[in-house]
Amino acid sequence: MARSGRLTYRQLDELAEQHVHALIAAGVRPGDRLGVSLINDLPIVALFHAAMRLGVIWVGINQALAPPEKAYLLADSQAAFFAGDEAMVEQVQGAQAAHEVKRYLTVDVAPGSEWSSLLAEEPSWTPPVPDSLAPAAIAYTSGTTGFPKGPCILSTT
């Protein structure tokens, strides 16, 4: 499943729950838009499942895009939060101008990192079950006719 190993569904469930705790501790709430640009490995899978559980709107951002393109997607989607590895967070912060992201989250599971501390947090509240008709993700097109377009994908799709 990922470069960092295989998981059972139970292990993925537990890891996703830890990521829900981290998102809550970071201030992310249901309905918030979360821009994410991570490599295809375990953290992005766990974070995706956590976002779906929490009712957060996922905005996947291709790592290969140029910084201004990433900034455009964050602004167009009105993402309140951005998650990526350290280099990606720095790159996006440097390109950000038109839209203010509330918080940048560096996803680093190394012991002692801010993210690993957030993973260990117990949530201060229990998130509600997301509405099945609520937006779940914004999936941007390649933008061959101009700027990328971001159709909203519902939880039921």
Side-chain angles (χ1 to χ4, degrees):
M1 177 180 107
R3 293 178 194 158
S4 55
R6 298 176 76 119
L7 293 179
T8 65
Y9 283 111
R10 181 183 186 134
Q11 291 169 319
L12 176 59
D13 180 64
E14 291 167 356
L15 189 60
E17 190 62 26
Q18 287 178 324
H19 281 70
V20 167
H21 296 182
L23 290 172
I24 290 171
V28 180
R29 297 293 178 260
D32 282 342
R33 293 162 191 219
L34 173 67
V36 180
S37 190
L38 289 165
I39 62 169
N40 293 335
D41 202 1
L42 204 48
I44 196 169
V45 174
L47 197 54
F48 178 80
H49 282 271
M52 295 302 105
R53 271 187 202 184
L54 188 54
V56 169
I57 302 168
W58 179 271
V59 181
I61 299 174
N62 187 332
Q63 285 200 318
L65 293 175
E69 294 170 310
K70 291 175 184 143
Y72 170 81
L73 296 183
L74 287 172
D76 187 66
S77 69
Q78 299 177 0
F81 296 87
F82 176 79
D85 60 30
E86 187 174 355
M88 197 59 56
V89 167
E90 288 175 9
Q91 182 187 84
V92 170
Q93 281 178 317
Q96 205 58 24
H99 175 71
E100 188 62 39
V101 171
K102 273 198 240 179
R103 185 165 182 190
Y104 292 89
L105 305 167
T106 300
V107 179
D108 177 2
V109 294
S113 70
E114 180 186 18
W115 188 252
S116 66
S117 297
L118 291 172
L119 287 172
E121 295 257 346
E122 285 296 321
S124 56
W125 57 278
T126 303
V129 175
D131 179 352
S132 64
L133 295 177
I138 299 174
Y140 279 89
T141 64
S142 61
T144 56
T145 61
F147 288 105
K149 286 132 189 97
C152 208
I153 314 264
L154 300 180
S155 298
T156 54
T157 346

